[in-house]
Amino acid sequence: MYLNALPSIEEENKGDVAYHTLLKTEILYRTGRSIVNDSIDYSIFYYEQNGPSDKLARAYYYKGVIQCFIRNDSKAGITLLKKAEAIAEGLSDLALQHKIDESICYVNLLNKNYATALVYAKRARDLGYKAENKQWIAYSLTYMANAYGGLAETDSNLIYLLKSLQYYRYLSSTNQSVLLANISDTYTRKKDFVKAESYIRKALVEN
């Protein structure tokens, strides 16, 4: 259902509808369920007019990641994520700031914009340190390693891959195997074939 197709809503209920729509969109996205319409546009419209800013930032965020990862429109998605970022910077919600920075980082990695991805990976890492959230730190370090790899900075790539190992248990099992395989690949490029074989064997065992 699009904004212009929504039925008439009593003024006192519009805030409830906007919040319900935001929560529904968040649940659908986080659980990987189908999002077949742009009803989140109603939440964006309402919060742009009435606030509060934290809910507007969340609405922009979910619209942004839907555009990036479901609609395959990174350009539109990044524009929305940047709007979310600008608002979140004035808030004290570290979790919101982190997921925005992490998403912008990931989109840029996918689009091979490695320098920009590195900036946001560092921001996500710093928020992890500030929040003392080891899972945030773990993933941000892998993103930093990937960005350095994309920039062909092999030494920095290896440094951050090995730093990621310190937070190994906070990664998913799939990402643990990917990390070990990436370390092996980097050692191969550095012609250290003994270590390369050691890490690829670990990756195969973990997998």
Side-chain angles (χ1 to χ4, degrees), residues 110-181:
L110 292 177
N111 287 278
K112 300 183 179 181
N113 299 320
Y114 298 116
T116 302
L118 181 58
V119 170
Y120 282 91
K122 288 179 177 178
R123 289 174 53 144
R125 175 202 59 186
D126 292 345
L127 286 168
Y129 288 139
K130 187 174 183 178
E132 298 182 345
N133 187 311
K134 293 181 179 180
Q135 186 178 63
W136 294 2
I137 298 168
Y139 281 94
S140 64
L141 291 173
T142 66
Y143 295 149
M144 288 178 67
N146 290 339
Y148 279 122
L151 293 168
E153 297 186 23
T154 305
D155 289 341
S156 294
N157 169 242
L158 182 57
I159 286 170
Y160 282 95
L161 287 172
L162 295 176
K163 282 181 180 288
S164 301
L165 277 180
Q166 300 173 30
Y167 297 89
Y168 183 79
R169 66 191 181 99
Y170 299 101
L171 298 170
S172 69
S173 59
T174 298
N175 281 287
Q176 287 174 347
S177 296
V178 169
L179 173 61
L180 295 171

Side-chain angles (χ1 to χ4, degrees), residues 7-27:
S8 178
I9 302 170
E10 294 295 328
E11 187 66 37
E12 62 268 23
N13 294 330
K14 289 181 179 179
D16 291 339
V17 173
Y19 189 49
H20 171 80
T21 303
L22 174 59
L23 290 178
K24 182 179 178 181
T25 301
E26 182 174 351
I27 291 168

